[in-house]
Amino acid sequence: MKIIKTKWFRRRKYSGWGLTPVTWQGWVFIAVLIAPLIFLASKIELGINLLSPLFISFAIYFAIFLGVIFAIMAKIHTDERERVHEAISDRNALWFLIFVLALGIVAESFSPDLVRTLYPINPFVFGGIIGAWIVKVISAIYLDKID
Amino acid sequence: MTQEELALKVGVARQTIISLEAGRYNPSLRLAYDISRALKAKNVEEIFKF
């Protein structure tokens, strides 16, 4: 018997990666899946020992969480046109991410302190991820219009 | 047969049928064959022009 049904979800078309629940069962499932993750994350404090039972439990549950999400995503039916669109969008996003990260490596090799002193988080990593997400959204919308 | 019915029969999204009808999307040989069969065509060329 199947506990999780793929018809509860649809793949995110324009807003990046992941699942969108389309039925109340899907929303309940996501809430039940995410609740322990939020509970464990709320107990973790900055500077926690990475070998502490709490952090290990969080890491294990997070891996299970991702595994379940990926398993559902893999089973959701998509037709050939949707698969091609998704592949092209992901490719564009990945190229953008690679470009920004390569730019970051060059910038850091020329001026190692500049990036660290200017920003609390590495702007190339952060910008690369956000930019890749934007590229994926634009690509998906564009492909849906022309193809 | 409606677009929705054809989409269900060949296992694609309705949007894919809309794109095919508008001539924006080139189907794989498999999909072209499935659609031809679903529409009871004698051959693929009866439905698609390449």
Side-chain angles (χ1 to χ4, degrees):
Chain A
M1 192 184 88
K2 271 187 176 178
I3 299 171
I4 308 161
K5 292 190 171 68
T6 51
K7 66 179 181 185
W8 293 351
F9 308 95
R10 69 176 158 80
R11 203 185 283 266
R12 281 191 182 171
K13 202 171 177 183
Y14 300 122
S15 53
W17 297 269
L19 297 167
T20 303
V22 285
T23 61
W24 66 267
Q25 292 97 327
W27 285 106
V28 169
F29 178 77
I30 290 292
V32 169
L33 194 67
I34 245 173
L37 200 66
I38 293 171
F39 174 76
L40 289 170
S42 68
K43 300 279 175 196
I44 293 174
E45 290 167 1
L46 273 178
I48 189 173
N49 179 4
L50 297 183
L51 294 175
S52 67
L54 181 65
F55 191 81
I56 290 172
S57 325
F58 175 79
I60 290 171
Y61 190 78
F62 188 63
I64 292 169
F65 173 82
L66 288 181
V68 171
I69 296 291
F70 287 144
I72 298 170
M73 281 173 73
K75 282 194 180 287
I76 284 183
H77 175 76
T78 48
D79 68 29
E80 59 175 50
R81 179 177 159 274
E82 291 168 327
R83 280 196 295 275
V84 168
H85 284 193
E86 194 171 358
I88 294 172
S89 303
D90 280 344
R91 180 207 62 189
N92 292 350
L94 193 61
W95 271 118
F96 181 85
L97 184 62
I98 290 169
F99 174 74
V100 174
L101 291 180
L103 211 65
I105 292 169
V106 173
E108 288 205 47
S109 61
F110 278 110
S111 172
D113 293 329
L114 179 73
V115 175
R116 287 190 205 102
T117 50
L118 280 178
Y119 304 95
I121 30 173
N122 191 314
F124 290 100
V125 173
F126 188 70
I129 292 168
I130 298 294
W133 175 72
I134 293 168
V135 167
K136 168 146 183 171
V137 172
I138 293 169
S139 301
I141 292 171
Y142 176 72
L143 286 168
D144 216 36
K145 271 195 169 182
I146 63 148
D147 193 15
Chain B
M1 188 184 287
T2 64
Q3 289 175 337
E4 188 72 51
E5 286 166 347
L6 178 60
L8 269 173
K9 213 164 184 178
V10 296
V12 298
R14 186 173 160 247
Q15 191 57 46
T16 301
I17 302 295
I18 292 169
S19 288
L20 283 167
E21 280 186 1
R24 291 196 305 262
Y25 177 67
N26 289 320
S28 66
L29 198 55
R30 170 79 186 262
L31 180 58
Y33 180 74
D34 286 348
I35 290 173
S36 304
R37 279 190 67 173
L39 295 174
K40 297 186 172 63
K42 282 182 194 144
N43 49 48
V44 175
E45 284 85 0
E46 207 172 300
I47 308 291
F48 294 95
K49 296 221 177 337
F50 292 99

